[in-house]
Amino acid sequence: MKKIIIAIDGYSSTGKSTIAKRLANALEYGFIDTGAMYRAVTLFALNNGWIIDKKVNTEALLLELPNIQLKFVPNTELGKSEMYLNGTNVETKIRKMEVSENVSQIAIIKEVREKLVALQQEMGLEKGIVMDGRDIGTVVFPDAELKIFMTASPKTRANRRYKELLDRGDQVTFDEVLKNVRERDYIDSNREISPLKRASDAIEFDNSDMGLDDQFERIYNYTLRVIDKS
Ligand code: DC
């Protein structure tokens, strides 16, 4: 069967990664969570003390940017890939609230985006990939054979994220999480470079009132039709 590129974009906590991962497993495709890459660069800046009160020391970060190494390494036990930053597994650390609160400030930096987009394009050279993010269908792979744009109401998304964080043992309040979801929506959609928006040829998918299995069934069946026609 012909291999295609599947671009899944959308707002934070719309369940993009969950669906993308399942789709990749079912199709035996690679899966790339590009948000993890922006999160890893954010963690790097935080670790170096280059983000204070949400202000980034861009000069210091840009000097080190060429030396930042990002890699997805498969974890066979967990059946998923994990993000490594300069050789260290940072998969847990990049999901913390402190990273979520600062990542949008890192994602607006042109040079960071250029580096990460180039890496992402390299990962998709051989197709057979499901990539999720904010600009995959618009910038990274504008010619992707299948583009999906996921949405859900801010409250639904904050609720999902809140539960996830509590499950991991993080001490957060629902209001904090909702505020973060809204802030990121605003910054991600209004930034100058590659703002979050639906590609004109993407299909929109609102999953506010839909269970995971139902979503997956629909997207999977649609994907098979697209692959068939490609
Ligand atoms: O998908 P996520 O919530 O883990 O992404 C974290 C942040 O990274 C998100 O707020 C915006 C940014 N991002 C981006 O600008 N472009 C991407 N392709 C992926 C993520």
Side-chain angles (χ1 to χ4, degrees), residues 9-13 16-17 33-36 38-39 42 94-95 100 103-104 107-108 113 120 132-136 140 161 184-185 188 191 194:
D9 288 304
Y11 295 95
S12 62
S13 305
K16 298 185 299 293
S17 295
D33 162 13
T34 60
Y38 289 91
R39 286 173 179 272
T42 306
I94 59 170
R95 309 290 164 192
S100 298
V103 63
S104 287
I108 59 175
R113 299 206 72 83
Q120 291 152 12
D132 89 66
R134 304 292 188 288
D135 57 344
I136 312 304
V140 182
R161 185 103 192 102
R184 281 205 285 152
D185 282 359
D188 293 347
R191 68 179 173 227
S194 317

